Amino acid sequence: MAITITMGIQKGGCGKSTTTGILAYLLSQDGYKVLAVDMDSQGNLTEFLSKRPSNEFVEKSVLEAMQHQDPTNYIVPIYENLDLLPANNFLATFPRWIYTGVTYLGEKIRYNGDNPSKILDETLEKVRDNYDFIVIDTPPSLSEQTTNALCASEYVVVLFECSNWCYSAIPNFMDSVEGARNVSKHGTKVIGILRTMNDVRRSDAKAFNEMIEEDYPNEVFKTIITRKAPIGRLSLYGFDENSELKQALGQYKNFYKELMERVKGR
Ligand SMILES: Nc1ncnc2c1ncn2[C@@H]1O[C@H](COP(=O)(O)OP(=O)(O)OP(=O)(O)O)[C@@H](O)[C@H]1O
Ligand SMILES: [Mg+2]
């Protein structure tokens, strides 16, 4: 039975998709069978892992998987141990479908369960036994897509990019995790806060790093992911034949080690 981990924060551009893609890759390289799920209509994780435009997955995505409550026909193999459940722009119609029962193609499909926040969880049920880990990328909002990801997860990694607006997003995000825990059978909990895209030499970044350590001493990971061109360029070059892969993954390997220690210690 897979362990499910969501990457989230409702502030945009904090490294959620980058971290989800790298985590999926490192887990698969470590010999685990992994499913990466894209719950963001931007489709960034989809393009990162598949190296294809997200529009190629129209009518073949996580949205249709949720509407039919079965992901099997929509899962795309990426590497030997890594599969992807892709997304595209039409995932933005997910809330409208939930509340009208009409898909963006005009098809009538009613959700018959008892809680619309559990649609993804119920959908993944069919494939959970096929994987060791499921990792989920979320959009920069506290939308139905995010709520569904949280309710499907045992663990949540909160992304923190050193800025005031990201700092002020954290308490509301923590409340959303708490809300998910109350309804999910997975006992959704924050497994850690990861500081990303960090400019460690900037005085304001240093101050935010310290504030986060004081506010969340048990949650914050020791590893800090700094702002580095090779990490940014992963979105361009991916993992294959990337001459800077070692520089791109270095800090993330330390995060991976810390995360796995926490997962195994629980
Ligand atoms: N450590 C890093 N150093 C440099 N660039 C980075 C780093 N991490 C991510 N990036 C780049 O910063 C941008 C934002 O990262 P990413 O898309 O992963 O954030 P996000 O939280 O998923 O954004 P959104 O909220 O829009 O989904 C991307 O262009 C990515 O390639
Ligand atoms: Mg993203």
Side-chain angles (χ1 to χ4, degrees), residues 16-17 40 42 44 137-138:
K16 294 179 285 295
S17 303
D40 183 3
Q42 294 183 92
N44 294 154
D137 187 25
T138 56

Side-chain angles (χ1 to χ4, degrees), residues 12-18 40 42 140 197 226-228 231-232 235:
C14 297
K16 294 179 285 295
S17 303
T18 302
D40 183 3
Q42 294 183 92
M197 307 172 74
T226 59
R227 203 179 281 276
K228 272 179 162 213
I231 301 179
S235 64

Side-chain angles (χ1 to χ4, degrees), residues 62-115:
V62 66
L63 176 62
E64 290 75 18
M66 291 192 288
Q67 288 167 341
H68 297 287
Q69 293 270 288
D70 188 350
T72 26
N73 293 334
Y74 306 99
I75 287 173
V76 181
I78 302 292
Y79 298 117
E80 198 190 331
N81 280 338
L82 176 55
D83 289 345
L84 169 71
L85 188 51
N88 57 64
N89 283 187
F90 286 104
L91 184 55
T93 66
F94 178 55
R96 197 174 72 202
W97 164 67
I98 293 174
Y99 297 110
T100 63
V102 181
T103 73
Y104 70 97
L105 293 169
E107 217 183 328
K108 284 192 179 138
I109 306 176
R110 279 236 161 261
Y111 166 64
N112 289 322
D114 61 2
N115 187 338

Side-chain angles (χ1 to χ4, degrees), residues 47-266:
E47 299 198 346
F48 184 13
L49 293 179
S50 74
K51 299 270 117 218
R52 290 158 60 187
S54 62
N55 279 345
E56 284 191 17
F57 300 98
V58 170
E59 295 184 45
K60 294 179 267 184
S61 72
V62 66
L63 176 62
E64 290 75 18
M66 291 192 288
Q67 288 167 341
H68 297 287
Q69 293 270 288
D70 188 350
T72 26
N73 293 334
Y74 306 99
I75 287 173
V76 181
I78 302 292
Y79 298 117
E80 198 190 331
N81 280 338
L82 176 55
D83 289 345
L84 169 71
L85 188 51
N88 57 64
N89 283 187
F90 286 104
L91 184 55
T93 66
F94 178 55
R96 197 174 72 202
W97 164 67
I98 293 174
Y99 297 110
T100 63
V102 181
T103 73
Y104 70 97
L105 293 169
E107 217 183 328
K108 284 192 179 138
I109 306 176
R110 279 236 161 261
Y111 166 64
N112 289 322
D114 61 2
N115 187 338
S117 296
K118 291 190 192 170
I119 298 176
L120 178 65
D121 185 31
E122 290 159 2
T123 303
L124 293 176
E125 208 49 57
K126 293 223 162 55
V127 294
R128 275 218 159 82
D129 286 342
N130 303 346
Y131 297 98
D132 301 307
F133 285 92
I134 299 176
V135 294
I136 310 179
D137 187 25
T138 56
S141 63
L142 292 173
S143 57
E144 297 287 359
Q145 289 88 316
T146 301
T147 313
N148 266 268
L150 295 177
C151 286
S153 300
E154 278 82 18
Y155 302 122
V156 182
V157 174
V158 182
L159 283 300
F160 177 71
E161 167 264 333
C162 280
S163 72
N164 196 29
W165 292 338
C166 195
Y167 185 71
S168 61
I170 290 189
N172 286 344
F173 188 77
M174 294 297 202
D175 285 349
S176 297
V177 175
E178 183 79 36
R181 179 165 50 241
N182 293 335
V183 296
S184 166
K185 65 175 186 225
H186 302 286
T188 316
K189 56 178 121 12
V190 170
I191 194 148
I193 299 177
L194 177 64
R195 291 166 286 183
T196 56
M197 307 172 74
N198 215 279
D199 294 309
V200 277
R201 278 172 302 200
R202 269 173 61 165
S203 57
D204 54 337
K206 275 186 194 159
F208 276 118
N209 281 337
E210 286 169 16
M211 276 156 73
I212 282 286
E213 277 166 16
E214 277 170 28
D215 293 353
Y216 303 99
N218 299 324
E219 286 83 8
V220 75
F221 289 106
K222 279 197 209 79
T223 305
I224 295 178
I225 309 291
T226 59
R227 203 179 281 276
K228 272 179 162 213
I231 301 179
R233 282 195 290 264
L234 269 177
S235 64
L236 210 53
Y237 302 132
F239 298 105
D240 301 320
E241 293 166 36
N242 179 340
S243 60
E244 348 173 272
L245 193 61
K246 215 171 156 194
Q247 294 103 292
L249 296 187
Q251 295 171 340
Y252 270 102
K253 284 191 175 160
N254 297 333
F255 157 65
Y256 179 73
K257 228 174 118 197
E258 272 193 79
L259 176 70
M260 292 306 272
E261 278 165 13
R262 292 188 189 189
V263 168
K264 285 174 182 164
R266 300 209 176 177

